[in-house]
Amino acid sequence: HAQWQLLTTSGQTLHAVYFLDLPGPPRIGFIGGDGGGEVPSTIEKTTDGGRTWKYVTNNGGNYTFILDFSFKDSMTGFAAVQQDGPGCLKTTDGGETWNPCHYYNYANGVYYNAGNGGLFLSSDAGLSISWDEGETWSEIQNSIYDERFGFAFSDANHGITTSWYVDDPWSETTDGGKTWQYLSVDST
């Protein structure tokens, strides 16, 4: 049976964890958390399944916190940044360094859809998409306009996203993220 162990990291409050989906047991992963003031948001990397963690270079400036990660492949990944920052960070060297994407609204969630190449960001302004790995962004028209926090796609076209709003916690797309609709969930 697996056992949980308390591991030591930076001591900052953590909000996100992500492990790369590579063959074998999870080894390479990232955690993200607080920063602010004179301290950049925490991004740490493990290469031994979480036994040890090291800070990685964060060139995004000083802002509040990292809320989510998503990776295109083992080298290219993205982080959602909330408050006082670029909104999105990108790595192209396997997470050793992170630099701002060209998105200037804070973000709650990020997702790279390998099926269609779309990079999605959520914020309180709705959903945005980039087709060029974060260089340019477009607001998704007919989008949902509340804070979304998680994404999942079953294929290139079918996906869901979640919110903390009780009335409409789920939204879905059937066209690869071009449009989103609230998903009715019967709780009875």
Side-chain angles (χ1 to χ4, degrees), residues 10 27 40 44 64 69 74 117 138 140 166 173 180 182:
S10 65
R27 296 179 326 276
E44 295 184 43
T64 309
F69 292 101
S74 64
S138 300
I140 298 174
V166 176
T173 182
W180 293 81
Y182 289 110

Side-chain angles (χ1 to χ4, degrees), residues 31-98:
I31 54 176
D34 285 356
E38 297 300 314
V39 180
S41 296
T42 300
I43 300 178
E44 295 184 43
K45 180 180 179 178
T46 183
T47 58
D48 61 10
R51 285 182 182 73
T52 60
W53 296 87
K54 70 169 187 163
Y55 280 107
V56 294
T57 304
N58 176 349
N59 295 318
N62 298 337
Y63 37 80
T64 309
F65 36 85
I66 305 290
L67 285 182
D68 199 10
F69 292 101
S70 187
F71 274 72
K72 173 186 175 184
D73 53 40
S74 64
M75 299 303 288
T76 304
F78 308 91
V81 179
Q82 191 175 59
Q83 296 181 344
D84 303 329
C88 177
L89 298 176
K90 179 179 180 180
T91 182
T92 57
D93 61 5
E96 294 298 320
T97 57
W98 294 81

Side-chain angles (χ1 to χ4, degrees), residues 11-30:
Q12 299 290 347
T13 301
L14 302 175
H15 302 282
V17 62
Y18 185 91
F19 277 82
L20 295 176
D21 187 15
L22 301 172
R27 296 179 326 276
I28 300 172
F30 300 88

Side-chain angles (χ1 to χ4, degrees), residues 70-72 78 110-121 127-134 137 140 151-160 172-180:
S70 187
F71 274 72
K72 173 186 175 184
F78 308 91
V110 61
Y111 185 82
Y112 181 82
N113 184 345
N116 67 17
L119 176 63
F120 297 88
L121 276 178
L127 301 177
S128 297
I129 189 165
S130 174
W131 296 106
D132 54 11
E133 298 181 11
W137 294 90
I140 298 174
F151 292 90
F153 278 75
S154 60
D155 58 36
N157 292 315
H158 297 88
I160 60 170
E172 70 174 335
T173 182
T174 58
D175 60 8
K178 294 179 183 86
T179 60
W180 293 81

